[in-house]
Amino acid sequence: MSILHIVNKSPYEKNSLDTAVGFVKNGDTVLLIEDAVYAAAKGGSVAAKLDGLDVSVLGSDLAARGIAEDRLIDGVSVVDYSGFVDLVEAKDSTQSWL
Amino acid sequence: MSILHIVNKSPYEKNSLDTAVGFVKNGDTVLLIEDAVYAAAKGGSVAAKLDGLDVSVLGSDLAARGIAEDRLIDGVSVVDYSGFVDLVEAKDSTQSWL
Amino acid sequence: MPDVKKLMYVNRRAPYGTIYAWESLEVVLVGAAFDQDVSLAFLDDGVYQLTRGQSTEGIGMKNFSAIYSALGDYEVTRIYVEKESLEERGLTLDDLQHLTWEDEDEDWAEKESIRLVDRAELADVMSNQDVMFNF
Amino acid sequence: MPDVKKLMYVNRRAPYGTIYAWESLEVVLVGAAFDQDVSLAFLDDGVYQLTRGQSTEGIGMKNFSAIYSALGDYEVTRIYVEKESLEERGLTLDDLQHLTWEDEDEDWAEKESIRLVDRAELADVMSNQDVMFNF
Amino acid sequence: MKFTIQVNEGPYQHQAADSAYNFVKAALEKGHDIFRVFFYHDGVNNGTRLTTPPQDDRHVVDRWSELARENEIDLVICVAAAQRRGIVDAGEAERNGKDATNIADGFRISGLGQLIEGAVQSDRLVVFGD
Amino acid sequence: MKFTIQVNEGPYQHQAADSAYNFVKAALEKGHDIFRVFFYHDGVNNGTRLTTPPQDDRHVVDRWSELARENEIDLVICVAAAQRRGIVDAGEAERNGKDATNIADGFRISGLGQLIEGAVQSDRLVVFGD
């Protein structure tokens, strides 16, 4: 069964993303919201942690933090809250890595 | 002037200790309280970060977490709240790395 | 929807520094009455919740560590502890409480509740859950 | 005790995810009336507070980023930004707002408020403060 | 689809309450059911009617109350967590000898079983916290 | 020596309020002065009289009130932070049209200037938070 891994903490401040990516299996998606969106910014030292994963980022949290979409690492999908709801529906369960 | 660097977060969860130790100068003391006391436990992967620093640990927080004093890395001083107050008095200022 | 769901309580925080560990345990105790298929996972700083010898007189907070050993009586018998989290913290299973449960089907034989698993194994278990509770 | 103290506001958190950045800024604005020797430090995720182009309509929260550019008017003229924190996050000064103040003693010449410092330099500045505020 | 939402943090200090609200609103707009929103830990502080946020900021508590009124959402505050943090309705005030209440419109106080029930009865549990 | 203490988190959720209390008590026992305890951010939630913690746990709010009564400690709640979180005294209730108050004995609500003043007037500021 597939999991939506929700991460909401800055990867520079907390270990949540580090742990979360260790639990991602084929078919899972990582959704970055709140301060976790910084993880998907190009040039950041943590960006490589997302390599090869299916990653979505909440667009309104990106905009709030001034991260333009062209500053995102390749392959990341930007979703709105409606897309967030769709992801929850599409996966069999959710795990919030608080 | 000397600083008392107060760290209260687990070094395995947050980056506070990492940053704090980068700011320690000669004459400063690092005081570990609350979940930060785990940093001073022998065998932990972060213990080396305290090498060469003047480190105190709050004894009641150690006891709450079941860390016996003989499980502490060498050179760490155990203080009670009265000792915490003395440290604040002895240093010129305090910086809480929240 | 199945009558019985697989519920996992995912514990990633140290005790006392925040209340999440204790209020999470309160959910587990209440949840035991719901006859679901329950397991607990302890990883990251969550492994600290299970350490022996906690003594909270000095900080004036309630010591709830003894309650973990009563989980068997609540029919909570599967407690996953992540190996990598223990090792990173310099801990072994000997540093944790010895948690057991009594198997009614085998003449109340005492069995181990804690299952030491590595991250990949725990990820497999997690992927088979219907619901994860996060605190 | 000196009449004028050196006060430093130490900012280490990203904006919006928590309120610390905003409520810290509120302290700075109120504190400006006290005629003390004030500086601000931005390090770790605190450097994100100063980024350009923040737009909060989508999350429904108040956008306070414009207020940083008014700090000069509050006579807050020394804003330390830690180099290592910027680099770790793939940021440069160009990603931050351009913060200035006008020097009354030099015919209101416009001057830079932001001082890019490395960790060792910031540690030196910090060791000369009387009080650090932490949020 | 049927969702239960758990909110672990209070208003303003953390974005969790905002994210949860925006998620619930989007789910409703897409025609999903919100079986319950369960407020736990400091999340119980979402349910006090005594807040007065600045006029240029959102009103987190009123937003929940309106959402509950317009969509008949079940907003449940955990009683044990509420007692620790001082969120009180008329029943709790009487039981615990308190001289005031502060619960907001549309919220009710109940037990932790409501969270488990929500998780079991819903298709998905989504947790927002710190 | 003269101390001002800042508390950034509410009762029970984080240990900060406990650590601050234990520090203040120890400082008083050693003969130091506590110029002020300033409650900011969620720290303002330390000042509600509506909590009813379990009987086998400490009562964080009452402990502050007793400390203030016995030692004449100035416990100040930030007004801006309190408005966001719903901590209300009689004056605030009237100003903001609230039908109840919840402030605990020994606390008073005032402005952020009280924090700056505390830092300037004291020998040390010690901050407890998350």
Side-chain angles (χ1 to χ4, degrees), chain B residues 65-81:
Chain B
R65 288 154 184 86
I67 306 174
E69 295 197 16
D70 62 5
R71 294 289 296 269
L72 294 179
I73 53 177
D74 293 341
V76 167
S77 306
V78 178
V79 298
D80 57 11
Y81 279 103

Side-chain angles (χ1 to χ4, degrees), chain F residues 15-59:
Chain F
Q15 201 185 338
D18 295 278
S19 299
Y21 170 81
N22 286 319
F23 180 89
V24 168
K25 213 158 140 266
L28 291 169
E29 281 163 10
K30 295 177 79 79
H32 293 296
D33 290 336
I34 301 295
F35 181 80
R36 180 167 294 151
V37 183
F38 190 83
F39 297 89
Y40 197 39
H41 306 306
D42 273 3
V44 300
N45 292 324
N46 281 276
T48 169
R49 68 172 184 276
L50 299 184
T51 61
T52 310
Q55 299 207 337
D56 61 351
D57 203 352
R58 80 280 191 207
H59 197 308

Side-chain angles (χ1 to χ4, degrees), chain C residues 1 5 34 131 133, chain E residues 2-5 35-36 112-125:
Chain C
M1 216 170 303
K5 279 192 170 184
F34 280 73
V131 181
F133 289 92
Chain E
K2 213 187 288 180
F3 296 113
T4 285
I5 308 298
F35 181 80
R36 180 166 295 151
L112 272 172
Q114 300 274 307
L115 171 61
I116 313 287
E117 187 198 50
V120 172
Q121 296 290 323
S122 303
D123 299 294
R124 298 285 185 277
L125 171 71

